C-alpha cells in the first residue's frame, strides 16, 4: 500500500467530496484557458473544448454528492438464512489504479475515471496519450490545487512502452484503458498475467438506424452532429448509417447536403464546426480506409480525399454502395467519414449493425413500438439510444461488449469497478 493511498483511503467521503467540489470550482473558473490547451493540443473546435471542460465539473460534483450512497454498506435482509445475526457487503477501494487514456477527450476521459476513483478512496496514476501532455499536467495540478493529498492523483509523462513496467509493479492494483483495440489487448494481457483488475473502453463503429416512422429531419440533423462532433474522432460517434429503403433516398440527400455545408477550418475560430484531425497518422489511416472502399467500387456522395493545404484536415465525407470485403465496413473510421447502408427490413438492419466486431453503443430512430422493442432486444451493444444520439451522462453506465471492451464507467457501476466488495458475516 503506498503512503498516498493510505492517506486517501482513510479520509471521509465528506473530505474527499470537498476536494472534488473544489476541483470542479477551479476547472469551471479556468474554463477558457483550459479549453485553449485542449484545442491547441488536439484540434477540437473551441466551443466543444469548453463544453468538455464544463462537463468535467459536472461529473466531479455528481460523484462528490453520490459516492457515499453508491458505496454504502448493503445488509442482507434475512441474515438468519446464512446463520448470522448480521451479514452484508461493503465496498472498499482497491489501491493505486493506473489510467491509460486517449487524446480525443483529453479532460473528460480522465476525469470520468478520476472522479469516481478518488471518491472511492483509490489513488490514480495517469499515463495520458503522448500528444496531450499539457492537458495531462493540467489535471495533475488541478487535483493538487483542489486539496487532495500529495500523490492522490499523479501524471506520469511516459510512453506506451513503459506501461508494462508500471502495471507489473505490485503497488499498482488495477488498470483502466480507454483507447484502441491494439492497446487494449496489450494492456489486458499484462493485467491478466498479473491477475489485476482491468476495465477496457475501446473502439466502436456504432450503428445509427433510421426507420420509416422516424422524424427524418431531426434524424438527419442529429446524424450530422453524431458523425462530426470532435472532428469525427469519438468512440460513440454514429459511424454507420443504416437506413430503411423507404426513406433511404431522402435521408441520403438531406444528410449529404448538411455534411457538405459544415464549416471546416481553424478550431480556435468559434465559427468552425470541423477542425483538423489530431494526428497525421490518424488522417492517413482514415484516407486508407476510404481509398480501399473507392478502389472496390464504393460510391462517394461527397468529398472523400485529403484536401490541399496545411493542417491535418479530412473533410466530412459520405460513402455508399459498400460491400463485404471493404475495410470500411468492418473497421472503425476515426474521422468525419459516414457510411450509408440500405436495409429492406429491420432484420436486415440488425444484421448489418451486428456484423462488426465492435459493440459499444447504437442509436435507433423510430416511433413504432414494435421496431423499438425489436432493436433493443437484438442489437449486440452496451447501449441503445432511441430517437437521440449516444451521449455519456454521469448518471448512466457507459461501456461496450465484444471488441469494444469490458467493464463500465459512470453511474454506480463505474465507481464500483475499482472497489473490493467485502462480505461481512457476523455470528
Ligand atoms: P491509442 O493509440 O490506443 O492510445 C490510447 C492510449 O493508450 C494512449 O495513452 C497511448 O499512449 C496508449 N497506448 C497505445 N498503445 C499502447 C500499448 N501497446 N500499451 C500500452 N499503452 C498503449 O488510441 P487513440 O488513437 O489515442 O484513441 C483512439 C481510440 O480510442 C479509438 O479506437 C476510439 O474509439 C477509442 N476510444 C474509446 C473510448 C471508449 O470509451 N470506448 C473513448 C475514446 C476513445 P501513446 O499516446 O503514448 O501511444
Amino acid at each position: 500500500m503506498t503512503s498516498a493511498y493510505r492517506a486517501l483511503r482513510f479520509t471521509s467521503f465528506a473530505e474527499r467530496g470537498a476536494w472534488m467540489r473544489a476541483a470542479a470550482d477551479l476547472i469551471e473558473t479556468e474554463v477558457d484557458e483550459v479549453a485553449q490547451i485542449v484545442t491547441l493540443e488536439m484540434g477540437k473546435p473551441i466551443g466543444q473544448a469548453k463544453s468538455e471542460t464544463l462537463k468535467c465539473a459536472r461529473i466531479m460534483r455528481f460523484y462528490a454528492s453520490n459516492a457515499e450512497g453508491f458505496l454504502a454498506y448493503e445488509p442482507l435482509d434475512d441474515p438468519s438464512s446464512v446463520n448470522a445475526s448480521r451479514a452484508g457487503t461493503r465496498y472498499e477501494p482497491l489501491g493505486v489504479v493506473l489510467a491509460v487514456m486517449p487524446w480525443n477527450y483529453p479532460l473528460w476521459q480522465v476525469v470520468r475515471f478520476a472522479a469516481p476513483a478518488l471518491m472511492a478512496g483509490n489513488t490514480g496514476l495517469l499515463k495520458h496519450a503522448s500528444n496531450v501532455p499539457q492537458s495531462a499536467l493540467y489535471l495533475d495540478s488541478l487535483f493538487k490545487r483542489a486539496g487532495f493529498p500529495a500523490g492522490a492523483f499523479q501524471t506520469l509523462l511516459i510512453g506506451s512502452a513503459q506501461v508494462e513496467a508500471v502495471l507489473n509493479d505490485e503497488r499498482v492494483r488495477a488498470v483502466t484503458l480507454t483507447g484502441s483495440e491494439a492497446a487494449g489487448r496489450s494492456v489486458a494481457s499484462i493485467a491478466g498475467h498479473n491477475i489485476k483488475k482491468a476495465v477496457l473502453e475501446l473502439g466502436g463503429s456504432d450503428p445509427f438506424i433510421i426507420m420509416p416512422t422516424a422524424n427524418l429531419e431531426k434524424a438527419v440533423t442529429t446524424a450530422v452532429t453524431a458523425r462530426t462532433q470532435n472532428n469525427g474522432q469519438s468512440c460513440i460517434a454514429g459511424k454507420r448509417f443504416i437506413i430503411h429503403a423507404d426513406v433511404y433516398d431522402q435521408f441520403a440527400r438531406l444528410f449529404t447536403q448538411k455534411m457538405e455545408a459544415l464549416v471546416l477550418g481553424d478550431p480556435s475560430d468559434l465559427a468552425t464546426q470541423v477542425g483538423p484531425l489530431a494526428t497525421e497518422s490518424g488522417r492517413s489511416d482514415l484516407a486508407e480506409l476510404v481509398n480501399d472502399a473507392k478502389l472496390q467500387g464504393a460510391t462517394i456522395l461527397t468529398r472523400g480525399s485529403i484536401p490541399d493545404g496545411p493542417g491535418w484536415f479530412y473533410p466530412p465525407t459520405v460513402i455508399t454502395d459498400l460491400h463485404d470485403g471493404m475495410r470500411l465496413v468492418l473497421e472503425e473510421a476515426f474521422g468525419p467519414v459516414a457510411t450509408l447502408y440500405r436495409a429492406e427490413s429491420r432484420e436486415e438492419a440488425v444484421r448489418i449493425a451486428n456484423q462488426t466486431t465492435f459493440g459499444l453503443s447504437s442509436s435507433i430512430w423510430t416511433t413504432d413500438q414494435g421496431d423499438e422493442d425489436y432493436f433493443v432486444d437484438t442489437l449486440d451493444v452496451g447501449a441503445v439510444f432511441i430517437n437521440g444520439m449516444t451521449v455519456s451522462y454521469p448518471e448512466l453506465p457507459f461501456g461496450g461488449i465484444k471488441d469494444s471492451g469490458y467493464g463500465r464507467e459512470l453511474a454506480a457501476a463505474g465507481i464500483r469497478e475499482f472497489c473490493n466488495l467485502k462480505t461481512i458475516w457476523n455470528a
Side-chain angles (χ1 to χ4, degrees), residues 38 41-42 101-104 106 128-137:
V38 169
E41 285 196 316
M42 56 69 66
M101 290 289 140
W103 46 262
N104 64 338
H128 215 328
S130 300
N131 56 333
V132 288
Q134 297 302 327
S135 302
L137 290 171

Side-chain angles (χ1 to χ4, degrees), residues 115-153:
L118 295 178
M119 282 307 302
N122 292 300
T123 55
L125 285 180
L126 170 64
K127 181 269 174 278
H128 215 328
S130 300
N131 56 333
V132 288
Q134 297 302 327
S135 302
L137 290 171
Y138 173 78
L139 290 166
D140 184 295
S141 111
L142 176 74
F143 288 112
K144 284 195 182 99
R145 287 184 290 133
F148 277 95
F153 181 88

Side-chain angles (χ1 to χ4, degrees), residues 56-108:
C56 291
R58 179 163 170 235
I59 194 176
M60 288 172 181
R61 294 203 177 95
F62 173 78
Y63 277 111
S65 302
N66 292 297
E68 188 166 11
F70 288 152
L71 302 182
Y73 176 75
E74 290 173 0
L76 190 67
D77 285 344
D78 178 15
S80 69
S81 64
V82 294
N83 303 317
S85 60
R86 276 178 295 130
T89 48
R90 51 182 264 158
Y91 293 94
E92 293 182 355
L94 283 184
V96 183
V97 184
L98 171 67
V100 182
M101 290 289 140
W103 46 262
N104 64 338
Y105 290 89
L107 303 175
W108 167 251

Side-chain angles (χ1 to χ4, degrees), residues 232-295:
Q233 303 157 119
S234 168
C235 54
I236 47 169
K239 294 186 178 118
R240 297 176 299 136
F241 298 84
I242 305 166
I243 308 134
H244 192 278
D246 291 358
V247 287
Y248 180 91
D249 291 339
Q250 205 184 346
F251 180 92
R253 184 172 43 79
L254 294 172
F255 180 71
T256 304
Q257 277 168 7
K258 282 190 189 286
M259 287 287 274
E260 275 172 355
L262 290 168
V263 179
L264 218 73
D266 176 353
S268 55
D269 183 340
L270 273 175
T272 293
Q273 291 168 296
V274 182
L277 299 193
T279 63
E280 190 169 20
S281 62
R283 182 172 74 162
S284 33
D285 289 349
L286 186 67
E288 273 174 30
L289 286 183
V290 174
N291 291 342
D292 171 73
K294 277 202 268 191
L295 282 173

Side-chain angles (χ1 to χ4, degrees), residues 101 103-104 109 112 127 130 178-180 183 201-203 235 332:
M101 290 289 140
W103 46 262
N104 64 338
Q109 302 289 2
R112 81 176 180 184
K127 181 269 174 278
S130 300
T178 300
S180 62
E201 295 289 357
L202 308 179
C235 54
E332 179 183 26

